[in-house]
Amino acid sequence: MFKELLVYADLEFYLKNRSHEYINKHKLVGYGHEEISDSISYIIYLYDATIGIKSDENYTVSADFVLSNEIQKIILMGCKVNQIQEWEVSVDYFDYSVKIIEGSYKIYDETQFFEKSIRLGYVRRNMQEELFYRNIIKHSEGKYLSLSELGDYIKNKLGEQLIKKAGMGELSRYCFEFPEPLFDPFQDPNMYQGKYFKEEMLSVAYNARELIMSTEEASSKKVTDNCILDDIVLFQRFFILINLITSQLLFNQKDRKKIVRSLIPHFQYDSLINILTIFIGDRVKAEELLKLFTYKKDKKLDLQYTPFLEASGGLFFSNSLVSKSNLLRNCIANSYLSKNQIVNQDDRETLVHECVGIFSRKHPEYHVFYNQNFQYCGQKGEIDVLVINGNDAILIECKAPLNPTSNFEMRASSDHINKASRQLDHCKAAFMDKGFRRNYMKSLNISDEIKNIYTCIVFGNRLFNGYSINEHPIRYVRELDMILNNGNIYSAVGDWRVWQSEEFKHEELISFLSPEHPLVVANFKSMEKVEQYMFIKGKKVCFETYVFNFIKVMEQYDVLFTIQHKNENVREKLKKSIEH
């Protein structure tokens, strides 16, 4: 059954306009592509743990089963189990409440702000990702060859020569053959070797931004003994290319069942290593990366992290999953979770230096210090970033976890903010002590004129942005940069100036650290309550969450901030799309 599940996952990632009902967790339509992939991963993991995926067994695909309601029922069961487990994490780990209302169970965040900050973080990430890609595509037009253009060229040039028929009857399928000369340009320095394609450049640039690094720093980030992130770009290049070529050829065929039986490639290990070596340019690197992305039976399977499965003397994989997953981000996240010391270096330092730069670049009025060690009441402490301006001291703790994709990953981010809160409690207690502060400021050659002490947790991702823990505000590093150095919000519907005047004033920063700052208030007010639900043994279980009303936040920005630019056409289209 595991191969049929891989086929279903492959089909899901090919579908572009699949309907989705966000709140209905009782039906498959209530789950997105990634949630369905998670369900399939979970079911294959259980299948392997109980029945076993065997290296000496020949696995075929039942097209009837893939296209039936039965497989959807199984996948829905996995989705519901995963969803319930995520809700359990909210209760057990994040202290959400549970109450019974008219026989239904309701899970909710009593404060509302924690759940709002999570959902808002995901929404803003998606919005910023779309804006980032739109801007960078506009500025890179004509500078890079596109992989999709190359795929179209190869498909049109060779077309039917690449696709062959194999097998008979219920075992009939299509298979693809790629002549070796097809890959020669990828090992030619005068052609494609050592050069980014457009899609790759966009992916590296976006992931670098998420890692709070320059493109050069992110590209050279180590992920195995011999490999850097750039090597993963080359690793994934092969799968993206064959996906672009084969998907169009395959889905143009008429026999639907034969298409289904043809979706999941099976490569002998050496054959795949030989091809990957052509693209990466080094066999050792090819072997390390294939090992990195191959499922290890001692860990829970996640197909978007480890999409390769060993079976039948070779490797099976969903090519759409391999080519469309963010392998750059996922390999780092997987390494963090497994505490791989090669990858798991202290990226906090990168964020510390970024934070220092945000304060220093345009603001000589700020005295900025970083990595300041001290001892108070017998306990050691460290201030990541200390900012002094007249009577004000701002104590900043920097945390740089990757943006999580689930409640399970979110626990690591929550651990970061709890640790940051404890550290800031200690720092603030020390600075409230006039004797300690006087001596400490003297060591920095600054007179002690401090009357106000502020704290802030600067986060490397958008999660929890706007939330406060123990009166320590959490702010996203890019938003902090905007407040200090730009003062403008940019979007497709218009631009707004957040600053009260044309020039930055220190009061803007102090206001930004308050939960009453207009930007924080407007964003949270634009989150509207909805209830996700499912039924378990006839009992309704609801989870109270929030969705972002873009029209509402746009109208609040119009009132609270100075409109710099207004795109009425986009606004009208947006309103009509929401109405319908």
Short mmCIF file of all heavy atoms in Angstrom, two decimals, residues 113-158:
data_model
loop_
_atom_site.label_atom_id
_atom_site.label_comp_id
_atom_site.label_asym_id
_atom_site.label_seq_id
_atom_site.Cartn_x
_atom_site.Cartn_y
_atom_site.Cartn_z
N PHE A 113 -4.33 36.22 22.39
CA PHE A 113 -3.17 36.85 21.75
C PHE A 113 -2.13 35.84 21.30
O PHE A 113 -1.47 36.02 20.27
CB PHE A 113 -2.54 37.88 22.68
CG PHE A 113 -3.41 39.07 22.94
CD1 PHE A 113 -3.97 39.27 24.20
CD2 PHE A 113 -3.71 39.95 21.93
CE1 PHE A 113 -4.79 40.36 24.44
CE2 PHE A 113 -4.53 41.05 22.15
CZ PHE A 113 -5.08 41.25 23.41
N PHE A 114 -1.95 34.75 22.06
CA PHE A 114 -0.95 33.76 21.68
C PHE A 114 -1.35 33.09 20.37
O PHE A 114 -0.56 33.03 19.42
CB PHE A 114 -0.80 32.72 22.79
CG PHE A 114 0.30 31.72 22.55
CD1 PHE A 114 1.62 32.06 22.77
CD2 PHE A 114 0.02 30.44 22.10
CE1 PHE A 114 2.65 31.15 22.53
CE2 PHE A 114 1.03 29.52 21.86
CZ PHE A 114 2.35 29.88 22.08
N GLU A 115 -2.59 32.62 20.29
CA GLU A 115 -3.07 31.97 19.07
C GLU A 115 -3.09 32.96 17.91
O GLU A 115 -2.72 32.62 16.78
CB GLU A 115 -4.46 31.38 19.31
CG GLU A 115 -5.11 30.75 18.09
CD GLU A 115 -4.41 29.50 17.57
OE1 GLU A 115 -3.59 28.91 18.31
OE2 GLU A 115 -4.69 29.12 16.42
N LYS A 116 -3.51 34.18 18.17
CA LYS A 116 -3.52 35.20 17.12
C LYS A 116 -2.12 35.45 16.58
O LYS A 116 -1.92 35.59 15.37
CB LYS A 116 -4.11 36.51 17.65
CG LYS A 116 -5.62 36.54 17.73
CD LYS A 116 -6.12 37.92 18.16
CE LYS A 116 -7.65 37.98 18.18
NZ LYS A 116 -8.13 39.32 18.57
N SER A 117 -1.13 35.51 17.48
CA SER A 117 0.24 35.79 17.04
C SER A 117 0.79 34.66 16.19
O SER A 117 1.59 34.89 15.27
CB SER A 117 1.15 36.04 18.25
OG SER A 117 1.41 34.85 18.96
N ILE A 118 0.36 33.43 16.47
CA ILE A 118 0.80 32.28 15.67
C ILE A 118 0.21 32.36 14.26
O ILE A 118 0.92 32.29 13.26
CB ILE A 118 0.39 30.96 16.34
CG1 ILE A 118 1.16 30.77 17.66
CG2 ILE A 118 0.63 29.78 15.41
CD1 ILE A 118 0.63 29.64 18.50
N ARG A 119 -1.12 32.49 14.20
CA ARG A 119 -1.80 32.53 12.89
C ARG A 119 -1.37 33.75 12.08
O ARG A 119 -1.19 33.67 10.87
CB ARG A 119 -3.32 32.52 13.07
CG ARG A 119 -3.86 31.31 13.78
CD ARG A 119 -3.40 30.01 13.14
NE ARG A 119 -3.22 28.97 14.14
CZ ARG A 119 -2.49 27.88 13.99
NH1 ARG A 119 -1.84 27.70 12.85
NH2 ARG A 119 -2.39 26.98 14.94
N LEU A 120 -1.21 34.87 12.76
CA LEU A 120 -0.78 36.09 12.08
C LEU A 120 0.63 35.89 11.51
O LEU A 120 0.94 36.34 10.40
CB LEU A 120 -0.80 37.27 13.04
CG LEU A 120 -0.49 38.65 12.47
CD1 LEU A 120 -1.49 39.02 11.39
CD2 LEU A 120 -0.48 39.70 13.57
N GLY A 121 1.49 35.19 12.27
CA GLY A 121 2.85 34.92 11.81
C GLY A 121 2.86 34.13 10.51
O GLY A 121 3.60 34.45 9.58
N TYR A 122 2.01 33.09 10.43
CA TYR A 122 1.94 32.28 9.22
C TYR A 122 1.40 33.10 8.04
O TYR A 122 1.91 33.01 6.92
CB TYR A 122 1.05 31.05 9.44
CG TYR A 122 1.68 29.98 10.29
CD1 TYR A 122 0.99 29.39 11.35
CD2 TYR A 122 2.97 29.53 10.03
CE1 TYR A 122 1.56 28.41 12.13
CE2 TYR A 122 3.55 28.53 10.81
CZ TYR A 122 2.84 27.97 11.85
OH TYR A 122 3.42 26.99 12.62
N VAL A 123 0.36 33.89 8.31
CA VAL A 123 -0.24 34.70 7.24
C VAL A 123 0.75 35.71 6.71
O VAL A 123 0.94 35.87 5.49
CB VAL A 123 -1.51 35.42 7.75
CG1 VAL A 123 -2.00 36.45 6.74
CG2 VAL A 123 -2.62 34.41 8.04
N ARG A 124 1.42 36.43 7.62
CA ARG A 124 2.37 37.46 7.20
C ARG A 124 3.57 36.85 6.48
O ARG A 124 4.12 37.46 5.56
CB ARG A 124 2.83 38.29 8.41
CG ARG A 124 1.73 39.07 9.10
CD ARG A 124 0.99 39.99 8.15
NE ARG A 124 1.79 41.11 7.72
CZ ARG A 124 1.79 42.30 8.31
NH1 ARG A 124 1.02 42.52 9.36
NH2 ARG A 124 2.53 43.28 7.85
N ARG A 125 3.96 35.66 6.89
CA ARG A 125 5.05 34.99 6.18
C ARG A 125 4.67 34.74 4.72
O ARG A 125 5.44 35.01 3.80
CB ARG A 125 5.40 33.66 6.85
CG ARG A 125 6.51 32.88 6.14
CD ARG A 125 6.59 31.45 6.61
NE ARG A 125 5.41 30.70 6.22
CZ ARG A 125 5.19 29.43 6.54
NH1 ARG A 125 6.07 28.78 7.29
NH2 ARG A 125 4.10 28.81 6.15
N ASN A 126 3.44 34.22 4.52
CA ASN A 126 2.98 33.94 3.16
C ASN A 126 2.85 35.21 2.33
O ASN A 126 3.22 35.24 1.15
CB ASN A 126 1.64 33.20 3.20
CG ASN A 126 1.75 31.82 3.81
OD1 ASN A 126 2.84 31.24 3.83
ND2 ASN A 126 0.66 31.29 4.32
N MET A 127 2.35 36.29 2.96
CA MET A 127 2.21 37.56 2.25
C MET A 127 3.57 38.13 1.87
O MET A 127 3.78 38.60 0.75
CB MET A 127 1.44 38.55 3.14
CG MET A 127 -0.02 38.23 3.29
SD MET A 127 -0.81 39.20 4.62
CE MET A 127 -0.48 40.87 4.10
N GLN A 128 4.51 38.08 2.81
CA GLN A 128 5.84 38.62 2.55
C GLN A 128 6.59 37.78 1.52
O GLN A 128 7.36 38.30 0.71
CB GLN A 128 6.65 38.70 3.85
CG GLN A 128 6.19 39.79 4.79
CD GLN A 128 6.32 41.17 4.16
OE1 GLN A 128 7.33 41.51 3.58
NE2 GLN A 128 5.26 41.97 4.28
N GLU A 129 6.33 36.46 1.54
CA GLU A 129 6.96 35.58 0.56
C GLU A 129 6.49 35.95 -0.85
O GLU A 129 7.29 36.07 -1.78
CB GLU A 129 6.60 34.12 0.86
CG GLU A 129 7.23 33.13 -0.11
CD GLU A 129 6.92 31.69 0.25
OE1 GLU A 129 6.19 31.45 1.24
OE2 GLU A 129 7.39 30.80 -0.47
N GLU A 130 5.18 36.16 -0.98
CA GLU A 130 4.62 36.54 -2.29
C GLU A 130 5.18 37.88 -2.75
O GLU A 130 5.57 38.05 -3.91
CB GLU A 130 3.09 36.61 -2.20
CG GLU A 130 2.41 36.90 -3.52
CD GLU A 130 0.89 36.93 -3.40
OE1 GLU A 130 0.34 36.25 -2.51
OE2 GLU A 130 0.27 37.66 -4.18
N LEU A 131 5.24 38.85 -1.82
CA LEU A 131 5.78 40.18 -2.16
C LEU A 131 7.26 40.10 -2.52
O LEU A 131 7.72 40.74 -3.47
CB LEU A 131 5.56 41.13 -0.99
CG LEU A 131 5.97 42.60 -1.20
CD1 LEU A 131 5.12 43.24 -2.29
CD2 LEU A 131 5.82 43.38 0.11
N PHE A 132 8.00 39.29 -1.76
CA PHE A 132 9.44 39.13 -2.01
C PHE A 132 9.68 38.57 -3.40
O PHE A 132 10.49 39.10 -4.17
CB PHE A 132 10.04 38.20 -0.95
CG PHE A 132 11.49 37.88 -1.18
CD1 PHE A 132 12.48 38.75 -0.76
CD2 PHE A 132 11.86 36.71 -1.81
CE1 PHE A 132 13.82 38.46 -0.97
CE2 PHE A 132 13.20 36.41 -2.03
CZ PHE A 132 14.18 37.29 -1.60
N TYR A 133 8.96 37.49 -3.75
CA TYR A 133 9.14 36.88 -5.05
C TYR A 133 8.74 37.82 -6.18
O TYR A 133 9.40 37.89 -7.21
CB TYR A 133 8.36 35.57 -5.15
CG TYR A 133 9.08 34.39 -4.52
CD1 TYR A 133 8.52 33.69 -3.45
CD2 TYR A 133 10.32 33.99 -5.00
CE1 TYR A 133 9.18 32.62 -2.89
CE2 TYR A 133 10.99 32.91 -4.44
CZ TYR A 133 10.42 32.23 -3.37
OH TYR A 133 11.08 31.18 -2.82
N ARG A 134 7.66 38.57 -5.97
CA ARG A 134 7.21 39.51 -7.00
C ARG A 134 8.28 40.57 -7.27
O ARG A 134 8.60 40.89 -8.41
CB ARG A 134 5.90 40.17 -6.57
CG ARG A 134 5.26 41.00 -7.70
CD ARG A 134 4.06 41.80 -7.22
NE ARG A 134 3.06 40.95 -6.62
CZ ARG A 134 2.55 41.12 -5.40
NH1 ARG A 134 2.98 42.12 -4.65
NH2 ARG A 134 1.62 40.32 -4.94
N ASN A 135 8.86 41.09 -6.18
CA ASN A 135 9.87 42.15 -6.34
C ASN A 135 11.16 41.63 -6.95
O ASN A 135 11.75 42.26 -7.83
CB ASN A 135 10.17 42.80 -4.99
CG ASN A 135 9.02 43.65 -4.49
OD1 ASN A 135 8.19 44.10 -5.28
ND2 ASN A 135 8.94 43.86 -3.18
N ILE A 136 11.59 40.47 -6.48
CA ILE A 136 12.89 39.97 -6.96
C ILE A 136 12.78 39.47 -8.39
O ILE A 136 13.73 39.57 -9.18
CB ILE A 136 13.45 38.88 -6.01
CG1 ILE A 136 14.97 38.72 -6.24
CG2 ILE A 136 12.73 37.56 -6.20
CD1 ILE A 136 15.65 37.90 -5.17
N ILE A 137 11.62 38.94 -8.78
CA ILE A 137 11.43 38.52 -10.17
C ILE A 137 11.49 39.74 -11.09
O ILE A 137 12.10 39.70 -12.16
CB ILE A 137 10.07 37.79 -10.32
CG1 ILE A 137 10.16 36.39 -9.70
CG2 ILE A 137 9.67 37.69 -11.80
CD1 ILE A 137 8.82 35.67 -9.62
N LYS A 138 10.88 40.85 -10.64
CA LYS A 138 10.86 42.07 -11.43
C LYS A 138 12.29 42.58 -11.65
O LYS A 138 12.64 43.04 -12.74
CB LYS A 138 10.02 43.12 -10.72
CG LYS A 138 9.82 44.41 -11.51
CD LYS A 138 8.73 45.27 -10.90
CE LYS A 138 9.07 45.71 -9.49
NZ LYS A 138 8.04 46.60 -8.91
N HIS A 139 13.13 42.48 -10.61
CA HIS A 139 14.49 43.04 -10.71
C HIS A 139 15.49 42.06 -11.34
O HIS A 139 16.62 42.45 -11.63
CB HIS A 139 14.99 43.45 -9.32
CG HIS A 139 14.28 44.66 -8.77
ND1 HIS A 139 13.31 44.57 -7.81
CD2 HIS A 139 14.38 45.97 -9.09
CE1 HIS A 139 12.85 45.78 -7.53
NE2 HIS A 139 13.48 46.64 -8.29
N SER A 140 15.08 40.80 -11.53
CA SER A 140 16.02 39.83 -12.10
C SER A 140 15.63 39.41 -13.51
O SER A 140 16.20 38.50 -14.07
CB SER A 140 16.07 38.58 -11.20
OG SER A 140 14.80 37.94 -11.15
N GLU A 141 14.62 40.09 -14.06
CA GLU A 141 14.12 39.74 -15.40
C GLU A 141 15.26 39.80 -16.41
O GLU A 141 15.98 40.79 -16.53
CB GLU A 141 13.02 40.72 -15.79
CG GLU A 141 12.00 40.13 -16.75
CD GLU A 141 11.25 38.94 -16.17
OE1 GLU A 141 10.69 39.05 -15.08
OE2 GLU A 141 11.27 37.89 -16.84
N GLY A 142 15.42 38.69 -17.14
CA GLY A 142 16.41 38.64 -18.21
C GLY A 142 17.82 38.30 -17.76
O GLY A 142 18.71 38.13 -18.60
N LYS A 143 18.04 38.19 -16.45
CA LYS A 143 19.39 37.93 -15.95
C LYS A 143 19.70 36.44 -15.82
O LYS A 143 20.87 36.05 -15.79
CB LYS A 143 19.58 38.60 -14.58
CG LYS A 143 19.54 40.13 -14.62
CD LYS A 143 19.76 40.70 -13.23
CE LYS A 143 19.70 42.23 -13.25
NZ LYS A 143 19.86 42.79 -11.89
N TYR A 144 18.65 35.61 -15.71
CA TYR A 144 18.86 34.18 -15.49
C TYR A 144 18.01 33.36 -16.46
O TYR A 144 16.87 33.74 -16.76
CB TYR A 144 18.46 33.79 -14.05
CG TYR A 144 19.27 34.45 -12.97
CD1 TYR A 144 18.89 35.69 -12.45
CD2 TYR A 144 20.41 33.85 -12.46
CE1 TYR A 144 19.63 36.31 -11.45
CE2 TYR A 144 21.16 34.46 -11.46
CZ TYR A 144 20.76 35.69 -10.96
OH TYR A 144 21.49 36.29 -9.97
N LEU A 145 18.57 32.26 -16.90
CA LEU A 145 17.80 31.31 -17.68
C LEU A 145 16.87 30.55 -16.73
O LEU A 145 17.23 30.24 -15.61
CB LEU A 145 18.74 30.32 -18.39
CG LEU A 145 18.08 29.20 -19.21
CD1 LEU A 145 17.32 29.79 -20.39
CD2 LEU A 145 19.13 28.21 -19.69
N SER A 146 15.68 30.25 -17.20
CA SER A 146 14.71 29.55 -16.36
C SER A 146 14.78 28.05 -16.60
O SER A 146 14.90 27.59 -17.74
CB SER A 146 13.30 30.07 -16.68
OG SER A 146 12.33 29.22 -16.14
N LEU A 147 14.70 27.27 -15.52
CA LEU A 147 14.65 25.82 -15.64
C LEU A 147 13.40 25.38 -16.40
O LEU A 147 13.43 24.41 -17.16
CB LEU A 147 14.66 25.17 -14.25
CG LEU A 147 15.99 24.65 -13.70
CD1 LEU A 147 15.82 24.13 -12.29
CD2 LEU A 147 16.58 23.56 -14.59
N SER A 148 12.30 26.08 -16.16
CA SER A 148 11.05 25.72 -16.84
C SER A 148 11.18 25.95 -18.35
O SER A 148 10.67 25.16 -19.16
CB SER A 148 9.87 26.51 -16.28
OG SER A 148 10.06 27.89 -16.45
N GLU A 149 11.90 27.02 -18.75
CA GLU A 149 12.13 27.26 -20.17
C GLU A 149 13.01 26.16 -20.77
O GLU A 149 12.77 25.70 -21.89
CB GLU A 149 12.79 28.62 -20.37
CG GLU A 149 11.88 29.80 -20.03
CD GLU A 149 12.63 31.13 -19.99
OE1 GLU A 149 13.88 31.13 -20.10
OE2 GLU A 149 11.96 32.16 -19.88
N LEU A 150 14.03 25.77 -20.01
CA LEU A 150 14.90 24.69 -20.47
C LEU A 150 14.12 23.38 -20.58
O LEU A 150 14.28 22.62 -21.55
CB LEU A 150 16.08 24.52 -19.51
CG LEU A 150 17.08 23.41 -19.86
CD1 LEU A 150 17.73 23.67 -21.22
CD2 LEU A 150 18.16 23.30 -18.78
N GLY A 151 13.26 23.12 -19.59
CA GLY A 151 12.44 21.91 -19.62
C GLY A 151 11.52 21.89 -20.83
O GLY A 151 11.37 20.85 -21.49
N ASP A 152 10.91 23.03 -21.13
CA ASP A 152 10.04 23.13 -22.32
C ASP A 152 10.84 22.88 -23.60
O ASP A 152 10.36 22.20 -24.52
CB ASP A 152 9.39 24.51 -22.39
CG ASP A 152 8.25 24.67 -21.39
OD1 ASP A 152 7.72 23.64 -20.93
OD2 ASP A 152 7.90 25.82 -21.06
N TYR A 153 12.05 23.44 -23.64
CA TYR A 153 12.89 23.26 -24.84
C TYR A 153 13.22 21.78 -25.04
O TYR A 153 13.10 21.25 -26.15
CB TYR A 153 14.18 24.07 -24.68
CG TYR A 153 15.19 23.82 -25.78
CD1 TYR A 153 15.04 24.45 -27.02
CD2 TYR A 153 16.26 22.95 -25.58
CE1 TYR A 153 15.96 24.21 -28.04
CE2 TYR A 153 17.18 22.72 -26.59
CZ TYR A 153 17.02 23.34 -27.82
OH TYR A 153 17.92 23.10 -28.83
N ILE A 154 13.62 21.09 -23.96
CA ILE A 154 13.97 19.67 -24.06
C ILE A 154 12.75 18.85 -24.45
O ILE A 154 12.82 17.97 -25.31
CB ILE A 154 14.56 19.16 -22.72
CG1 ILE A 154 15.90 19.84 -22.44
CG2 ILE A 154 14.72 17.64 -22.74
CD1 ILE A 154 16.46 19.58 -21.06
N LYS A 155 11.61 19.18 -23.84
CA LYS A 155 10.37 18.44 -24.14
C LYS A 155 9.98 18.61 -25.61
O LYS A 155 9.62 17.65 -26.28
CB LYS A 155 9.25 18.93 -23.22
CG LYS A 155 7.89 18.31 -23.49
CD LYS A 155 6.86 18.80 -22.52
CE LYS A 155 6.54 20.26 -22.68
NZ LYS A 155 5.84 20.57 -23.97
N ASN A 156 10.05 19.85 -26.09
CA ASN A 156 9.67 20.10 -27.48
C ASN A 156 10.67 19.50 -28.46
O ASN A 156 10.30 19.09 -29.56
CB ASN A 156 9.55 21.61 -27.72
CG ASN A 156 8.41 22.22 -26.93
OD1 ASN A 156 7.42 21.55 -26.64
ND2 ASN A 156 8.54 23.50 -26.58
N LYS A 157 11.94 19.47 -28.06
CA LYS A 157 12.99 18.97 -28.95
C LYS A 157 12.95 17.44 -29.05
O LYS A 157 13.06 16.87 -30.13
CB LYS A 157 14.35 19.42 -28.42
CG LYS A 157 15.50 19.26 -29.40
CD LYS A 157 15.52 20.39 -30.40
CE LYS A 157 16.79 20.33 -31.25
NZ LYS A 157 16.75 21.33 -32.33
N LEU A 158 12.79 16.80 -27.87
CA LEU A 158 12.87 15.33 -27.84
C LEU A 158 11.50 14.67 -27.72
O LEU A 158 11.29 13.58 -28.24
CB LEU A 158 13.78 14.89 -26.70
CG LEU A 158 15.23 15.38 -26.79
CD1 LEU A 158 16.00 14.94 -25.55
CD2 LEU A 158 15.91 14.85 -28.04
#
